[in-house]
Amino acid sequence: MTPESILSYTPKVLAQNERESYFENGYVFLNNIINKSVLEELFDTINEAIDESSNLKVSNEKFDLEPDHTKTKPRLRRLTQPVAHYPLFWEFACNSIITDIAEDLLGPNIMFHHSKLNFKWFSGGEEVKWHQDMPFWPHTNDSVLTIGIYLENVDNKMGPLGVIPKSHTGPIFDHYNADGQWVGYISEQEKKQLDLKNAFYSIGNAGSITVHHCRTVHGSKPNTHPHQSRPLLLNTFSSADTLPITNNPTPSRYDRKIIRGKPSQFVHMEPYQGKLPPDWSKGYTSIFSLQQKEHISQ
Ligand SMILES: O=C(O)CCC(=O)C(=O)O
């Protein structure tokens, strides 16, 4: 769907000027949106997941671990596809205020792509280098977004999510290095085209929401807070007429599921002017391990 047709529908949560600002700037940040009781429920499930991960020594399809993860001091980088493992996360993705916000920005018919929970543990939880999402999972057009929910209060030491306003209107950057290897971030050379000094960092309370467009350049610094982690739950959705053109790096049974409205009989096609990602059908762990060069995909 085009921004004009999306904006012609009556919004459910956002003010019209917030929707217009999303299309103009490529992001929107909303402080204090999710109720405390909902956050507490999510946390009960997250604590279960952390307990389960504490028995692991190496990352697997569900848990991406920091290199110094131990049983007594678990340090999870990412819980992959929480929706596939815990019904509560699926219910939250398809039937909550975040689904209404997705509808305000994608139109009445919505397709689910994937979800993840990035922990960014205290004292060193890793950086996410500047990147765009679209090169990881290109679609037939750019009516695709990711909604992030802060599960703890986040200050500027904790690696808040940063976005470059209006970068979604610029080019799709190369996420391969000069040797043709996929690195999952924008090179120093190409970064010179970005207005980094105007980066917007989302600082806010637990229950705040960040939304970023699939072409918006974004990233986050390491978490240097001495004892506070920065769990960020991320869900990616598209308009129903916007189809992925490559395999989902982290497929689940909910891949391409219509979660609002109805499937589309038509596809909205725009030229995709970026490189395709590598074939991850035989395995993908996370942006963290790719960017930290724990393995490099060709
Ligand atoms: O966790 C973050 O700060 C950013 C995550 C992100 O951009 C991603 O996982 O693609």
Side-chain angles (χ1 to χ4, degrees), residues 78 116 118 120 128 131 133 161 218 220 230 232 287:
R78 172 177 283 181
K116 55 208 171 193
N118 289 348
K120 214 179 265 274
V128 176
H131 68 283
D133 288 336
L161 189 72
H218 61 287
S220 57
R230 191 228 61 179
L232 173 65
I287 193 170

Side-chain angles (χ1 to χ4, degrees), residues 1-3 5-6 105-107 109-113 134 137-145 213-214 236-246 255-258 262-270 272:
M1 286 186 85
T2 60
S5 56
I6 293 166
L105 299 173
L106 296 170
N109 305 310
I110 303 184
M111 188 182 280
F112 179 79
H113 190 260
M134 189 71 145
W137 26 257
H139 280 64
T140 55
N141 75 86
D142 61 11
S143 193
V144 192
L145 53 72
H213 184 279
C214 62
T236 297
F237 309 99
S238 72
S239 303
D241 65 356
T242 303
L243 306 180
I245 55 178
T246 52
D255 199 11
R256 296 175 64 161
K257 186 132 183 117
I258 298 297
K262 49 185 194 324
S264 178
Q265 292 183 312
F266 299 94
V267 57
H268 175 178
M269 307 270 280
E270 299 278 347
Y272 173 66

Side-chain angles (χ1 to χ4, degrees), residues 275-295:
K275 288 185 184 170
L276 294 172
D279 173 10
W280 285 308
S281 55
K282 294 196 178 54
Y284 176 86
T285 50
S286 76
I287 193 170
F288 297 99
S289 64
L290 283 167
Q291 290 192 349
Q292 304 303 324
K293 298 199 185 69
E294 283 166 24
H295 57 261

